[in-house]
Amino acid sequence: MNAPTAPNEPPTITVLPPHTAVDYACTASRLEDPHLLPNSLAICFHRTALIAVPVGGRRRGGCLDAGRREIALAIRELLLDRPGFPQPRVRLTSSQSRPHWVVDWGARAPDGRASTTERRHFYGYSDNAIAAHTPQTLPPPGAAPACPASPGAGQASSPSRRTRPAE
């Protein structure tokens, strides 16, 4: 577990084996290409490990909701030059509840005009997983834990979210 950091200290980010992520089982059950899981990372911050799944197969991009900017920047730094996590970048997202920072990698995600199915395909969800869940029961990948665990398999944008790149 990570201890909280003082305001001016860089955040502590720990990489753990993928199966230790709280959202591992949830994500594993939804991926079209489960062979990506061994190369995934459990990224631990705020005392919680979330899974970061590399791109490959159907999966063209991914993301992880980091909350604070400092954490997002530290995660981006950790992903730089790692196989399966091309072009890691940070963006600010605001939803109805709160603004937060997200780390993306791979191709750019479909915009808010894309259907839920198109976004789920982009993040590598299987057709069975997409068909089994409606948007109300399947939280956006990379969202804060909600199902016993949220899929850090990639953040889906919705029309109500505004994003801008980090400086």
Side-chain angles (χ1 to χ4, degrees):
M1 299 223 172
N2 295 336
T5 57
N8 294 329
E9 287 184 37
T12 302
I13 309 294
T14 308
V15 176
L16 301 170
H19 69 276
T20 62
V22 297
D23 52 349
Y24 180 86
C26 204
T27 299
S29 71
R30 295 177 182 160
L31 285 176
E32 175 73 21
D33 300 302
H35 70 276
L36 297 172
L37 291 168
N39 295 319
S40 298
L41 307 170
I43 299 179
C44 187
F45 58 99
H46 292 310
R47 298 186 181 113
T48 303
L50 297 175
I51 194 163
V53 180
V55 298
R58 176 188 276 183
R59 185 174 169 77
R60 296 180 23 232
C63 84
L64 196 63
D65 186 345
R68 293 187 1 236
R69 183 174 190 262
E70 300 79 20
I71 293 170
L73 291 171
I75 292 170
R76 180 189 67 187
E77 187 71 24
L78 183 139
L79 295 178
L80 282 172
D81 299 322
R82 264 190 206 259
F85 298 91
Q87 302 168 336
R89 56 203 174 272
V90 172
R91 67 182 161 91
L92 178 63
T93 278
S94 59
S95 66
Q96 296 168 353
S97 61
R98 64 180 169 84
H100 56 279
W101 293 88
V102 174
V103 180
D104 293 311
W105 56 91
R108 300 267 176 204
D111 66 22
R113 296 176 299 222
S115 72
T116 300
T117 299
E118 290 171 317
R119 289 191 302 271
R120 302 280 185 229
H121 276 279
F122 174 85
Y123 289 114
Y125 281 56
S126 71
D127 293 332
N128 289 337
I130 293 168
H133 300 282
T134 64
Q136 292 76 31
T137 61
L138 184 62
C147 88
S150 71
Q155 181 80 17
S157 300
S158 68
S160 63
R161 291 196 177 160
R162 292 171 287 145
T163 63
R164 69 175 183 173
E167 298 173 1

